[in-house]
Amino acid sequence: MRSNGCFRLTAMLGLIAVALLLFTRKSTSAASDRGYGKMHPPRPYSYASTMEWLRRTNLTTGLKGAAFLPSIDEFDIDATRHGKWGPWLTAGKDAEEAIEAAKGVNRWLFYEDVMRSGRLASTATPGMHVYILRMLRSAAVNVQRPTFVDAGCGTGFLLQAWLLMAGADARAIGLELDALTAAQALWHLHHPEAVGIGLAASVHGATVHVGDALSPDVRKLGLREGTVDAINVGLAVDHIGALEPLARLLRAGGLMSAPLCKTQQPADMPQDKCAARFRILSKGIEGTLSPQPSDPDIDVRFIRGMVSAPHSIRKNSQLPRPRQRMARHLAISPA
């Protein structure tokens, strides 16, 4: 009787969780009709019209109530050719394809939750995003169904950009520790305005799972070891050995982008962050990771990895876009 009672209680809590999330979506949809939610670039999305709108729009005035006020630089993909990441984005097929893919994604849509919540840790700069795409693109060339894992996927921007860059049969799998962030990434990927006019990105190739990004459950991801072409690691680790669980997913010759914490850290560095080197690694035939010969080894500052193992969110679930941190505490198991 106790186990049956526990089962009924668990089921009831699950229904309450889904109901709360549905209510949250309705509430935030209503909120978007007033206040700063009215402010958005021209629809349907195109990179050119969005940038033109941003140049003539005062975001400080328009985004009243936002937790974070972005500058135009947060959306300017063309400017990435001239910034910190510019030396690797100015020429070549990989750079061109990466930039075009990033332009094809509605960055404003993927950034709305950051503006609303102020949670900057769930995204990266345009330059870093384009750099990651550029450095990993070769892993998708002449490959059937090129598969990408973003371990710490945040808003899901890289997942969407990979689908555009790697082709119609590509797969993109996101891992995210925070259930709220994962649900929002899934919502972004399935949004009808996620990509520009005339662009086709198959959302059927995209999944998002909640779990430990540094030690994923291969079975839940629907993958086999040695079948992934490229992986991005969105969390810094202290040594390359910490990447071994993810490395097992990579095929021989597969590529991984990952920040590795430096041995010596600045005295004022918060414990949850580290000064790191952003590395581009390749998996050898023997199964070990080693830096690419062309790896520029760029200095960055990153959040350190954490370990957890919650549930997963499947691509065919109808999870709404949540706005409350309650999603962290409610166990949701979509059908």
Side-chain angles (χ1 to χ4, degrees):
M1 292 296 292
R2 177 175 293 183
S3 60
N4 289 338
C6 290
F7 176 81
R8 286 195 297 271
L9 178 60
T10 301
M12 184 179 295
L13 288 173
L15 291 173
I16 292 172
V18 173
L20 285 171
L21 288 173
L22 285 168
F23 174 78
T24 304
R25 182 179 187 182
K26 290 180 181 178
S27 299
T28 51
S29 295
S32 68
D33 293 332
R34 60 184 182 272
Y36 85 88
K38 285 185 177 181
M39 187 180 214
H40 58 76
R43 295 170 175 165
Y45 166 76
S46 78
Y47 175 75
S49 63
T50 296
M51 292 307 301
E52 181 182 353
W53 175 81
L54 284 167
R55 292 187 184 99
R56 56 181 169 79
T57 300
N58 186 336
L59 295 181
T60 303
T61 301
L63 294 178
K64 291 181 180 178
F68 174 71
L69 292 174
S71 70
I72 191 174
D73 294 339
E74 298 294 340
F75 308 95
D76 195 343
I77 303 300
D78 284 324
T80 62
R81 301 176 190 266
H82 311 294
K84 173 179 180 177
W85 309 91
W88 302 276
L89 304 177
T90 53
K93 182 71 170 176
D94 289 340
E96 292 173 6
E97 293 292 328
I99 287 173
E100 285 307 304
K103 285 183 176 181
V105 180
N106 185 348
R107 193 170 178 86
W108 181 273
L109 172 71
F110 283 75
Y111 212 82
E112 278 184 328
D113 293 303
V114 177
M115 293 185 281
R116 189 173 281 107
S117 68
R119 299 174 68 203
L120 296 176
S122 64
T123 190
T125 65
M128 176 173 284
H129 277 155
V130 177
Y131 174 80
I132 291 168
L133 293 167
R134 178 254 185 270
M135 300 304 284
L136 298 183
R137 179 183 174 272
S138 61
V141 177
N142 297 324
V143 174
Q144 287 189 340
R145 206 177 188 196
T147 300
F148 169 63
V149 171
D150 193 4
C153 66
T155 65
F157 181 90
L158 277 179
L159 299 173
Q160 188 72 84
W162 175 270
L163 294 177
L164 287 179
M165 182 178 71
D169 62 342
R171 287 194 300 172
I173 297 144
L175 274 165
E176 178 57 49
L177 184 65
D178 181 63
L180 168 62
T181 304
Q184 288 171 339
L186 186 69
W187 188 88
H188 295 149
L189 291 165
H190 284 261
H191 196 285
E193 295 178 7
V195 298
I197 304 171
L199 297 176
S202 174
V203 294
H204 299 294
T207 60
V208 180
H209 297 263
V210 181
D212 181 5
L214 297 177
S215 185
D217 186 325
V218 177
R219 179 183 56 82
K220 287 185 178 180
L221 296 183
L223 295 170
R224 298 192 312 275
E225 292 187 357
T227 62
V228 174
D229 300 291
I231 297 175
N232 175 63
V233 183
L235 302 163
V237 297
D238 290 325
H239 53 85
I240 200 169
L243 300 172
E244 184 179 347
L246 286 169
R248 287 198 292 267
L249 294 176
L250 276 179
R251 63 170 171 82
L255 298 177
M256 179 186 292
S257 54
L260 300 180
C261 296
K262 298 178 181 179
T263 303
Q264 299 295 325
Q265 293 291 314
D268 60 347
M269 181 66 65
Q271 289 187 348
D272 63 337
K273 297 180 177 64
C274 77
R277 291 187 172 90
F278 200 77
R279 308 306 305 266
I280 306 299
L281 309 168
S282 176
K283 183 176 178 178
I285 297 176
E286 72 287 354
T288 59
L289 291 173
S290 58
Q292 284 276 83
S294 59
D295 176 21
D297 191 15
I298 301 173
D299 286 339
V300 292
R301 178 172 170 159
F302 250 83
I303 292 178
R304 289 181 182 270
M306 296 175 64
V307 178
S308 185
H311 53 279
S312 67
I313 299 176
R314 304 189 191 99
K315 66 181 176 67
N316 62 342
S317 69
Q318 299 300 313
L319 277 178
R321 184 185 195 180
R323 301 295 183 201
Q324 307 288 338
R325 298 188 70 84
M326 68 178 81
R328 284 188 180 208
H329 310 293
L330 298 175
I332 306 164
S333 299

